[in-house]
Amino acid sequence: MNALSRKMRKQAKKLGVRYQFFFMQANGSQLREFSALYDSGKLRPVIDSAFPFDKTLEAMAHVEQGRTKAGKVVVSMVPDHD
């Protein structure tokens, strides 16, 4: 994973932040730990793009076509209130 994230870590260093790759498990204790880090501002996710729920197929196509540059693709279940 070190080699795969080299470019991102170099960019993070220029910005004065730390980039770290990690694997998550679907368990409550790990989710609580990440939630606390997020709430404290120590963990900030990188979001490539966001799609409303009714555009889920477009979001999947975006990922499958390799169009994500950096970060995660989010599908929101919360209605967008412009």
Side-chain angles (χ1 to χ4, degrees):
M1 297 316 295
N2 238 2
L4 294 174
S5 65
R6 183 176 52 230
K7 182 179 177 183
M8 187 62 70
R9 284 184 289 111
K10 185 177 178 181
Q11 185 178 10
K13 187 176 181 178
K14 277 200 259 183
L15 295 172
V17 297
R18 188 178 76 180
Y19 173 84
Q20 185 174 349
F21 187 86
F22 58 88
F23 290 99
M24 285 194 58
Q25 299 172 349
N27 69 52
S29 64
Q30 191 179 50
L31 291 174
R32 280 187 291 280
E33 184 179 341
F34 285 124
S35 177
L37 289 170
Y38 178 80
D39 289 344
S40 72
K42 293 179 182 177
L43 175 68
R44 292 185 313 204
V46 177
I47 298 175
D48 176 86
S49 52
F51 293 83
F53 184 73
D54 63 341
K55 303 285 185 190
T56 299
L57 293 178
E58 290 176 30
M60 292 174 62
H62 183 81
V63 173
E64 289 173 353
Q65 294 167 1
R67 293 171 40 204
T68 56
K69 300 297 180 213
K72 300 295 182 185
V73 172
V74 175
V75 175
S76 177
M77 305 229 3
V78 178
D80 188 16
H81 298 287
D82 289 334

